[in-house]
Amino acid sequence: GGLCQKHSQELCSVCFCDPPVECLPCGHGLCEDDWRGFLKCNLDSGTVGGENCLRLKCPGERCPLFVPPRIFKRFLEPADYERYLRLRVLSFVSDNPSFVWCPGTGCENAIGFSRRRSTVRCSCR
């Protein structure tokens, strides 16, 4: 991360006032306030599974690039970044047939298993 390359835009893609403080590889970038607002808005307005922020596209017009996790880490407040990380874990477990959530009351562990084993044991038991 860092300042945008010389070939990138010279102004933020949202406010067109300030220079971008971080650009994606496509060259699109936002100022610090707009990165914070863009990420927070998508985190807050997302679905329970996090699709809104986990598959967040570049704010550049019709740009297909996804916003990488390092951008979330840099611009979100710590509590919001923790929420984002939790959504990433939830998404990974739900999308991966080799992981299941522990059925133990109050347990939030995910357990990986091979298809050969029908039973798994969690560290909570």
Side-chain angles (χ1 to χ4, degrees):
L3 295 177
C4 298
Q5 305 294 322
K6 292 204 186 289
H7 68 278
S8 301
Q9 66 198 46
E10 293 182 23
L11 293 175
C12 169
S13 294
V14 173
C15 68
F16 300 105
C17 295
D18 299 317
V21 293
E22 179 88 36
C23 287
L24 300 179
C26 55
H28 299 123
L30 303 180
C31 67
E32 188 160 344
D33 287 345
D34 286 328
W35 268 124
R36 290 183 193 282
F38 177 67
L39 299 173
K40 175 85 167 119
C41 179
N42 280 281
L43 182 64
D44 290 347
S45 67
T47 61
V48 173
E51 289 83 5
N52 222 38
C53 68
L54 297 179
R55 293 173 182 86
L56 186 60
K57 298 267 180 105
C58 167
E61 190 175 353
R62 291 190 288 263
C63 186
L65 200 69
F66 288 104
V67 176
R70 68 177 172 77
I71 300 288
F72 287 86
K73 183 175 184 176
R74 178 173 176 188
F75 294 104
L76 285 177
E77 294 295 323
D80 289 327
Y81 183 64
E82 287 298 318
R83 204 165 106 223
Y84 166 75
L85 290 178
R86 179 79 177 136
L87 288 171
R88 287 189 64 189
V89 170
L90 289 170
S91 176
F92 176 81
V93 173
S94 67
D95 291 347
N96 192 329
S98 297
F99 282 84
V100 294
W101 291 108
C102 173
T105 304
C107 183
E108 295 186 4
N109 290 335
I111 306 157
F113 63 94
S114 69
R115 293 188 185 268
R116 287 180 248 149
R117 293 187 67 190
S118 60
T119 57
V120 293
R121 177 154 274 142
C122 180
S123 61
C124 77
R125 296 184 180 225

